[in-house]
Amino acid sequence: MSSGIINPEAPIRPAAESGMTMAFQPIVDVVEGRVYAYEAVLHGPEGETAAEIFARIVPESRGDFDRRCAAAAVRWAMAAGLGNTAARLCIPVHAPGASVPGEPMLTAVRIGRQCGLIPERMIFALHGYQDLPGAKLADIVHCNASMGSQTIFVGLGADQVGLGACARYAPNAVKLDSDLVSGIANSWSRRLVLEDLTPRVRKLGIRILAGGVDSQAVLARLRSFGIFHVQGDHVGPPEIGVLPEPILQRDAA
């Protein structure tokens, strides 16, 4: 697969020959009853996830692919009307793929200036942050903060690998592993993990986001732990080329 498959100059739909699409999924603050951010979600021609697509790209091309995806996310989100909302744009970044730390973020900010999206409305969600050397991770967090953008560490799970990096490098938020989240309604052991993990993260002053919310039972459990920024099919599924309204109504509590 070529790293040039995503054209950052393209309109909402990617080039026909790539067969790829960019969808957007809301991350909702259930207390405020508003969309906190829209996350850009890349899909392959056969329904492949971004992680699956990324895994098939040769290592030396991954940084360029990530950069192109970040640029495309900004352009397509603004074309879909993000500028008419108060929501932020959450841009996934596969951290180990960048040859230069922060390169996808700098590209997104540059494209944002052209499109009218300020850096303060960008959130960069780092996948694979646990695999980065500490110095590079520190550079990325510092680079984002200096531009006014936020950083999310993605994938904090039941094994709590990565919690030390959260404490040391202080991202704005962490996103819990979807497998951990989706299992808490029926798994006593996973609820115990979350009961232990949540106050430790909150004590660091880091916001907690939960993806994988696929039922009302899961949402209720998250609320009981004080986790109010949520994402998943029960909250609002991703939709291609548009900014969908969340399914959830304003929380009355």
Side-chain angles (χ1 to χ4, degrees):
M1 178 177 292
S2 167
S3 68
I5 218 165
I6 293 292
N7 178 3
E9 302 295 335
I12 283 184
R13 295 187 184 278
E17 62 270 18
S18 76
M20 293 191 184
T21 53
M22 184 73 76
F24 296 95
Q25 185 172 26
I27 301 171
V28 175
D29 180 335
V30 295
V31 172
E32 296 292 332
R34 63 182 178 85
V35 177
Y36 170 70
Y38 282 101
E39 181 172 10
V41 182
L42 183 69
H43 292 293
E46 302 298 327
E48 303 97 324
T49 66
E52 291 169 337
I53 296 168
F54 195 77
R56 296 208 306 257
I57 300 172
V58 294
E60 58 267 25
S61 297
R62 289 175 179 175
D64 184 60
F65 183 81
D66 220 17
R67 180 184 61 79
R68 290 173 179 270
C69 287
V74 174
R75 288 192 181 278
W76 296 339
M78 292 301 286
L82 185 72
N84 298 323
T85 76
R88 295 175 171 87
L89 176 62
C90 182
I91 303 171
V93 176
H94 295 82
S99 57
V100 178
E103 185 178 26
M105 299 79 157
L106 293 170
T107 298
V109 168
R110 177 176 58 81
I111 299 298
R113 291 194 181 102
Q114 298 173 8
C115 297
L117 182 65
I118 60 175
E120 288 80 4
R121 292 185 61 190
M122 296 183 190
I123 303 172
F124 295 102
L126 299 186
H127 295 254
Y129 73 94
Q130 304 96 325
D131 299 325
L132 275 186
K136 286 189 176 181
L137 192 55
D139 286 346
I140 289 173
V141 174
H142 175 73
C143 176
N144 290 346
S146 66
M147 295 185 298
S149 303
Q150 295 189 14
T151 304
I152 296 176
F153 287 177
V154 177
L156 188 60
D159 57 9
Q160 301 191 20
V161 172
L163 183 59
C166 293
R168 187 166 188 176
Y169 302 109
N172 300 95
V174 297
K175 190 174 183 181
L176 299 175
D177 182 78
S178 293
D179 290 339
L180 171 62
V181 172
S182 62
I184 63 171
N186 302 311
S187 172
W188 177 75
S189 62
R190 293 191 182 191
R191 289 198 294 272
L192 285 180
V193 169
L194 207 56
E195 184 177 3
D196 173 64
L197 185 60
T198 300
R200 295 173 67 186
V201 174
R202 191 170 288 124
K203 188 176 180 180
L204 297 172
I206 297 172
R207 174 178 285 136
I208 302 173
L209 279 64
V213 180
D214 54 11
S215 69
Q216 183 61 34
V218 169
L219 179 60
R221 288 291 182 183
L222 291 171
R223 286 180 47 79
S224 73
F225 290 113
I227 299 173
F228 303 121
H229 290 78
V230 297
Q231 180 185 36
D233 286 348
H234 183 70
V235 178
E239 294 187 21
I240 296 170
V242 299
L243 305 178
E245 287 293 322
I247 297 171
L248 295 179
Q249 301 296 316
R250 181 179 176 87
D251 190 288

